[in-house]
Amino acid sequence: MGRFNIVERRVARFVQEPPTVRGATAVIVTATFIVVVGAGVLMTVIDNTEFPNIGVGLWWAVQTVTTVGYGDVAPKDVSGRLLGAFVMLEGTAFIAIVTAVITSSFVTRAQTERDAAQRSDDLSDREVMERRFDELERKLDRLAS
Amino acid sequence: MGRFNIVERRVARFVQEPPTVRGATAVIVTATFIVVVGAGVLMTVIDNTEFPNIGVGLWWAVQTVTTVGYGDVAPKDVSGRLLGAFVMLEGTAFIAIVTAVITSSFVTRAQTERDAAQRSDDLSDREVMERRFDELERKLDRLAS
Amino acid sequence: MGRFNIVERRVARFVQEPPTVRGATAVIVTATFIVVVGAGVLMTVIDNTEFPNIGVGLWWAVQTVTTVGYGDVAPKDVSGRLLGAFVMLEGTAFIAIVTAVITSSFVTRAQTERDAAQRSDDLSDREVMERRFDELERKLDRLAS
Amino acid sequence: MGRFNIVERRVARFVQEPPTVRGATAVIVTATFIVVVGAGVLMTVIDNTEFPNIGVGLWWAVQTVTTVGYGDVAPKDVSGRLLGAFVMLEGTAFIAIVTAVITSSFVTRAQTERDAAQRSDDLSDREVMERRFDELERKLDRLAS
């Protein structure tokens, strides 16, 4: 139970304050690893007929968390199916966050390049202004002398 | 029927005017919850042989909406399969919107940081301009005195 | 065959020049609809033992394109599996593009709001500059009179 | 083994330095193609009872990498399931990167359009400033003459 509380609390904190992309990646990979191993082991306890050993449990957990779902092994009683539903939803979060991390890295990269172009535009704008100021000052100086 | 009309109307409004990210999250989570429970219950009415109780219906609905699809239970007649197709498409929307919400929160966070950097750049640009104005004014004042 | 050529040509054009989001949505929804109906019908011709009627074909096509894949019906011979592989890849494109459209609408909305804030910042910058120009001109005018 | 090392090293490099969108597309499509063909062939060696020929192996690999997972064919022993888990995770990366590439192309397109609008705004800002400078210079020139 304690293990799941940790996952849950992590997920809750994640939703409340948007983490850095790096942090989100670490959290979701860790959470998914814990969920796969935890659920794979737990399943052999809950439903030992369908899941006779941890290997079968892990095999089921991996194909559930990636939403592949062959169905060659699947929980048959209520508590196993509740655990299964939890793994499916965590799997959806896993895929969503992995996709989000990669997408945001692509978008950020493109923007960094565009920002550099924009900055050189801004610079040339400022240069034009500076030259106008230089000209004005020179004229004022000539007037003063 | 009324229940589905609500979902449909919500979806239609959603597509027409892009909602806030917060609103979209609320809508899709609510819609998916209604679809899972609604379809899980409805399935026991439509196809009581394959879905003898609500537990089986919910188990099928969750594995369908997350696109896991073990196939240990699946509708066999036309009306059940039509309902199934609806749940699958809603599930695709669910995954797409959850992914979109997380991605857009990452992208927005990155941009907020970049905007802050940009603003301090703009500020230093303005400071340079202001100092040039100060210099010009001082010279003009000296000329006038 | 002609039907698939249309899909292919559309996909090719799509990849070459990034379409508008509105256009992409129309193309992918149309393409997916054509693929589901087309593959569902074609499957009853290719493998009439596994797919005795169009209803079964459509049921298989929908659960394949959404990547649910119960496996209650699945092609057993080479040509059917080739068609199946095509539907799976189109389904991946379908989910990817739907997700991309929704994500980009969220990101664009957030940026439009930020741009409006930025513009009012730029405006106040320009106002400060304009006031400096006004002051300079007034002083020059006084000097000239 | 060498083949997998290439894939792994490519993936590692990909994660370390965010590639161009064009490069990422090439890498993931190539990697996925190699994984599907490689795993499909390897499966017939590892588990020849379940996978009697390469056709069956490829059919399993495609439905695994797209996360469809009918489960009509699935590995039954440990080494086959380890390979299966690898293909599932590569499939998740495949879908995530394809989605990221399309999303980022949509977002970039929208920003390019907004940038063009912004630039014309900036230009008109500069024009206003330039006209103010022109006026100041004319006045200074008149004063000097």
Side-chain angles (χ1 to χ4, degrees), chain D residues 13-40:
Chain D
R13 217 191 311 151
F14 171 81
V15 170
Q16 269 163 16
E17 47 170 276
T20 60
V21 168
R22 199 173 266 258
T25 313
V27 167
I28 196 65
V29 168
T30 310
T32 303
F33 186 80
I34 291 170
V35 165
V36 167
V37 175

mmCIF file of all heavy atoms in Angstrom, chain D residues 13-40:
data_model
loop_
_atom_site.group_PDB
_atom_site.id
_atom_site.type_symbol
_atom_site.label_atom_id
_atom_site.label_comp_id
_atom_site.label_asym_id
_atom_site.label_seq_id
_atom_site.Cartn_x
_atom_site.Cartn_y
_atom_site.Cartn_z
ATOM 1 N N ARG D 13 22.162 8.579 -28.486
ATOM 2 C CA ARG D 13 22.563 9.867 -29.044
ATOM 3 C C ARG D 13 21.342 10.783 -29.173
ATOM 4 O O ARG D 13 21.392 11.963 -28.870
ATOM 5 C CB ARG D 13 23.212 9.664 -30.426
ATOM 6 C CG ARG D 13 24.384 10.619 -30.665
ATOM 7 C CD ARG D 13 24.864 10.608 -32.096
ATOM 8 N NE ARG D 13 25.068 9.254 -32.592
ATOM 9 C CZ ARG D 13 24.937 8.899 -33.857
ATOM 10 N NH1 ARG D 13 24.577 9.798 -34.763
ATOM 11 N NH2 ARG D 13 25.137 7.662 -34.236
ATOM 12 N N PHE D 14 20.217 10.185 -29.602
ATOM 13 C CA PHE D 14 18.968 10.922 -29.781
ATOM 14 C C PHE D 14 18.541 11.619 -28.489
ATOM 15 O O PHE D 14 18.155 12.775 -28.478
ATOM 16 C CB PHE D 14 17.874 9.956 -30.236
ATOM 17 C CG PHE D 14 16.514 10.573 -30.251
ATOM 18 C CD1 PHE D 14 16.119 11.359 -31.313
ATOM 19 C CD2 PHE D 14 15.634 10.374 -29.202
ATOM 20 C CE1 PHE D 14 14.867 11.933 -31.328
ATOM 21 C CE2 PHE D 14 14.389 10.949 -29.210
ATOM 22 C CZ PHE D 14 14.001 11.729 -30.275
ATOM 23 N N VAL D 15 18.642 10.867 -27.360
ATOM 24 C CA VAL D 15 18.198 11.414 -26.081
ATOM 25 C C VAL D 15 19.141 12.513 -25.608
ATOM 26 O O VAL D 15 18.719 13.545 -25.097
ATOM 27 C CB VAL D 15 18.081 10.288 -25.028
ATOM 28 C CG1 VAL D 15 17.860 10.863 -23.632
ATOM 29 C CG2 VAL D 15 16.949 9.345 -25.401
ATOM 30 N N GLN D 16 20.465 12.297 -25.810
ATOM 31 C CA GLN D 16 21.442 13.264 -25.328
ATOM 32 C C GLN D 16 21.300 14.632 -25.988
ATOM 33 O O GLN D 16 21.103 15.627 -25.313
ATOM 34 C CB GLN D 16 22.866 12.728 -25.536
ATOM 35 C CG GLN D 16 23.361 11.949 -24.328
ATOM 36 C CD GLN D 16 24.551 11.103 -24.685
ATOM 37 O OE1 GLN D 16 25.187 11.306 -25.715
ATOM 38 N NE2 GLN D 16 24.877 10.138 -23.858
ATOM 39 N N GLU D 17 21.419 14.691 -27.307
ATOM 40 C CA GLU D 17 21.254 15.978 -27.966
ATOM 41 C C GLU D 17 20.012 15.979 -28.845
ATOM 42 O O GLU D 17 19.931 15.239 -29.812
ATOM 43 C CB GLU D 17 22.501 16.354 -28.792
ATOM 44 C CG GLU D 17 23.045 15.253 -29.665
ATOM 45 C CD GLU D 17 24.109 15.777 -30.622
ATOM 46 O OE1 GLU D 17 23.738 16.287 -31.688
ATOM 47 O OE2 GLU D 17 25.300 15.671 -30.294
ATOM 48 N N PRO D 18 18.992 16.818 -28.477
ATOM 49 C CA PRO D 18 17.755 16.851 -29.244
ATOM 50 C C PRO D 18 18.046 17.047 -30.724
ATOM 51 O O PRO D 18 18.665 18.037 -31.112
ATOM 52 C CB PRO D 18 16.997 18.042 -28.664
ATOM 53 C CG PRO D 18 17.971 18.786 -27.815
ATOM 54 C CD PRO D 18 19.003 17.809 -27.420
ATOM 55 N N PRO D 19 17.628 16.099 -31.585
ATOM 56 C CA PRO D 19 17.974 16.172 -33.000
ATOM 57 C C PRO D 19 17.031 17.130 -33.705
ATOM 58 O O PRO D 19 16.051 17.592 -33.132
ATOM 59 C CB PRO D 19 17.716 14.752 -33.469
ATOM 60 C CG PRO D 19 16.596 14.286 -32.605
ATOM 61 C CD PRO D 19 16.685 15.030 -31.300
ATOM 62 N N THR D 20 17.314 17.414 -34.954
ATOM 63 C CA THR D 20 16.354 18.153 -35.742
ATOM 64 C C THR D 20 15.136 17.263 -35.932
ATOM 65 O O THR D 20 15.219 16.044 -35.843
ATOM 66 C CB THR D 20 16.937 18.497 -37.121
ATOM 67 O OG1 THR D 20 17.265 17.266 -37.770
ATOM 68 C CG2 THR D 20 18.174 19.349 -37.007
ATOM 69 N N VAL D 21 14.005 17.889 -36.218
ATOM 70 C CA VAL D 21 12.771 17.136 -36.420
ATOM 71 C C VAL D 21 12.936 16.176 -37.596
ATOM 72 O O VAL D 21 12.535 15.021 -37.551
ATOM 73 C CB VAL D 21 11.599 18.109 -36.633
ATOM 74 C CG1 VAL D 21 10.366 17.383 -37.121
ATOM 75 C CG2 VAL D 21 11.298 18.845 -35.341
ATOM 76 N N ARG D 22 13.584 16.675 -38.653
ATOM 77 C CA ARG D 22 13.834 15.866 -39.837
ATOM 78 C C ARG D 22 14.693 14.637 -39.495
ATOM 79 O O ARG D 22 14.394 13.515 -39.899
ATOM 80 C CB ARG D 22 14.562 16.726 -40.873
ATOM 81 C CG ARG D 22 14.519 16.238 -42.298
ATOM 82 C CD ARG D 22 15.141 17.299 -43.199
ATOM 83 N NE ARG D 22 14.119 18.173 -43.750
ATOM 84 C CZ ARG D 22 13.677 18.058 -45.008
ATOM 85 N NH1 ARG D 22 14.168 17.125 -45.814
ATOM 86 N NH2 ARG D 22 12.761 18.857 -45.473
ATOM 87 N N GLY D 23 15.739 14.874 -38.702
ATOM 88 C CA GLY D 23 16.623 13.792 -38.285
ATOM 89 C C GLY D 23 15.902 12.781 -37.413
ATOM 90 O O GLY D 23 16.060 11.565 -37.602
ATOM 91 N N ALA D 24 15.075 13.279 -36.476
ATOM 92 C CA ALA D 24 14.345 12.396 -35.570
ATOM 93 C C ALA D 24 13.403 11.481 -36.348
ATOM 94 O O ALA D 24 13.274 10.291 -36.047
ATOM 95 C CB ALA D 24 13.554 13.230 -34.565
ATOM 96 N N THR D 25 12.749 12.059 -37.367
ATOM 97 C CA THR D 25 11.835 11.272 -38.177
ATOM 98 C C THR D 25 12.591 10.143 -38.868
ATOM 99 O O THR D 25 12.155 8.980 -38.842
ATOM 100 C CB THR D 25 11.164 12.165 -39.258
ATOM 101 O OG1 THR D 25 10.701 13.352 -38.622
ATOM 102 C CG2 THR D 25 10.013 11.453 -39.921
ATOM 103 N N ALA D 26 13.727 10.480 -39.472
ATOM 104 C CA ALA D 26 14.534 9.478 -40.170
ATOM 105 C C ALA D 26 14.970 8.380 -39.208
ATOM 106 O O ALA D 26 14.835 7.185 -39.499
ATOM 107 C CB ALA D 26 15.742 10.141 -40.819
ATOM 108 N N VAL D 27 15.474 8.780 -38.016
ATOM 109 C CA VAL D 27 15.975 7.808 -37.045
ATOM 110 C C VAL D 27 14.863 6.873 -36.586
ATOM 111 O O VAL D 27 15.020 5.653 -36.595
ATOM 112 C CB VAL D 27 16.610 8.528 -35.820
ATOM 113 C CG1 VAL D 27 16.846 7.548 -34.679
ATOM 114 C CG2 VAL D 27 17.910 9.188 -36.220
ATOM 115 N N ILE D 28 13.717 7.429 -36.197
ATOM 116 C CA ILE D 28 12.681 6.575 -35.621
ATOM 117 C C ILE D 28 12.061 5.652 -36.672
ATOM 118 O O ILE D 28 11.741 4.505 -36.377
ATOM 119 C CB ILE D 28 11.599 7.397 -34.881
ATOM 120 C CG1 ILE D 28 10.772 6.465 -33.968
ATOM 121 C CG2 ILE D 28 10.649 8.118 -35.818
ATOM 122 C CD1 ILE D 28 11.555 5.863 -32.846
ATOM 123 N N VAL D 29 11.915 6.162 -37.906
ATOM 124 C CA VAL D 29 11.347 5.309 -38.953
ATOM 125 C C VAL D 29 12.320 4.167 -39.264
ATOM 126 O O VAL D 29 11.918 2.999 -39.347
ATOM 127 C CB VAL D 29 10.998 6.130 -40.217
ATOM 128 C CG1 VAL D 29 10.693 5.224 -41.399
ATOM 129 C CG2 VAL D 29 9.803 7.025 -39.937
ATOM 130 N N THR D 30 13.607 4.505 -39.378
ATOM 131 C CA THR D 30 14.626 3.475 -39.624
ATOM 132 C C THR D 30 14.680 2.479 -38.467
ATOM 133 O O THR D 30 14.654 1.259 -38.679
ATOM 134 C CB THR D 30 16.021 4.135 -39.790
ATOM 135 O OG1 THR D 30 15.909 5.184 -40.740
ATOM 136 C CG2 THR D 30 17.057 3.126 -40.247
ATOM 137 N N ALA D 31 14.739 3.004 -37.230
ATOM 138 C CA ALA D 31 14.828 2.149 -36.046
ATOM 139 C C ALA D 31 13.622 1.210 -35.972
ATOM 140 O O ALA D 31 13.774 0.010 -35.717
ATOM 141 C CB ALA D 31 14.922 2.996 -34.778
ATOM 142 N N THR D 32 12.435 1.742 -36.221
ATOM 143 C CA THR D 32 11.223 0.933 -36.126
ATOM 144 C C THR D 32 11.215 -0.143 -37.215
ATOM 145 O O THR D 32 10.836 -1.289 -36.956
ATOM 146 C CB THR D 32 9.970 1.826 -36.229
ATOM 147 O OG1 THR D 32 10.044 2.810 -35.200
ATOM 148 C CG2 THR D 32 8.691 1.027 -36.055
ATOM 149 N N PHE D 33 11.655 0.227 -38.422
ATOM 150 C CA PHE D 33 11.733 -0.743 -39.507
ATOM 151 C C PHE D 33 12.690 -1.880 -39.136
ATOM 152 O O PHE D 33 12.361 -3.064 -39.280
ATOM 153 C CB PHE D 33 12.185 -0.047 -40.795
ATOM 154 C CG PHE D 33 12.162 -0.952 -41.995
ATOM 155 C CD1 PHE D 33 10.968 -1.223 -42.657
ATOM 156 C CD2 PHE D 33 13.331 -1.554 -42.461
ATOM 157 C CE1 PHE D 33 10.934 -2.067 -43.753
ATOM 158 C CE2 PHE D 33 13.309 -2.404 -43.555
ATOM 159 C CZ PHE D 33 12.110 -2.662 -44.212
ATOM 160 N N ILE D 34 13.871 -1.509 -38.621
ATOM 161 C CA ILE D 34 14.869 -2.511 -38.213
ATOM 162 C C ILE D 34 14.318 -3.386 -37.083
ATOM 163 O O ILE D 34 14.471 -4.615 -37.098
ATOM 164 C CB ILE D 34 16.182 -1.805 -37.765
ATOM 165 C CG1 ILE D 34 16.881 -1.166 -38.971
ATOM 166 C CG2 ILE D 34 17.128 -2.806 -37.082
ATOM 167 C CD1 ILE D 34 18.053 -0.252 -38.596
ATOM 168 N N VAL D 35 13.662 -2.768 -36.110
ATOM 169 C CA VAL D 35 13.113 -3.517 -34.971
ATOM 170 C C VAL D 35 12.041 -4.494 -35.444
ATOM 171 O O VAL D 35 12.026 -5.660 -35.033
ATOM 172 C CB VAL D 35 12.547 -2.556 -33.900
ATOM 173 C CG1 VAL D 35 11.667 -3.297 -32.903
ATOM 174 C CG2 VAL D 35 13.693 -1.875 -33.163
ATOM 175 N N VAL D 36 11.133 -4.035 -36.324
ATOM 176 C CA VAL D 36 10.048 -4.908 -36.798
ATOM 177 C C VAL D 36 10.632 -6.095 -37.563
ATOM 178 O O VAL D 36 10.319 -7.259 -37.262
ATOM 179 C CB VAL D 36 9.042 -4.123 -37.670
ATOM 180 C CG1 VAL D 36 8.116 -5.069 -38.426
ATOM 181 C CG2 VAL D 36 8.218 -3.189 -36.795
ATOM 182 N N VAL D 37 11.491 -5.818 -38.538
ATOM 183 C CA VAL D 37 12.068 -6.902 -39.342
ATOM 184 C C VAL D 37 12.970 -7.787 -38.467
ATOM 185 O O VAL D 37 12.854 -9.022 -38.477
ATOM 186 C CB VAL D 37 12.857 -6.340 -40.550
ATOM 187 C CG1 VAL D 37 13.562 -7.463 -41.308
ATOM 188 C CG2 VAL D 37 11.911 -5.594 -41.489
ATOM 189 N N GLY D 38 13.838 -7.135 -37.675
ATOM 190 C CA GLY D 38 14.776 -7.881 -36.822
ATOM 191 C C GLY D 38 14.057 -8.778 -35.828
ATOM 192 O O GLY D 38 14.370 -9.973 -35.721
ATOM 193 N N ALA D 39 13.066 -8.207 -35.116
ATOM 194 C CA ALA D 39 12.346 -8.985 -34.104
ATOM 195 C C ALA D 39 11.490 -10.065 -34.757
ATOM 196 O O ALA D 39 11.375 -11.182 -34.230
ATOM 197 C CB ALA D 39 11.475 -8.056 -33.259
ATOM 198 N N GLY D 40 10.901 -9.743 -35.916
ATOM 199 C CA GLY D 40 10.086 -10.727 -36.633
ATOM 200 C C GLY D 40 10.904 -11.948 -37.030
ATOM 201 O O GLY D 40 10.447 -13.091 -36.883
#
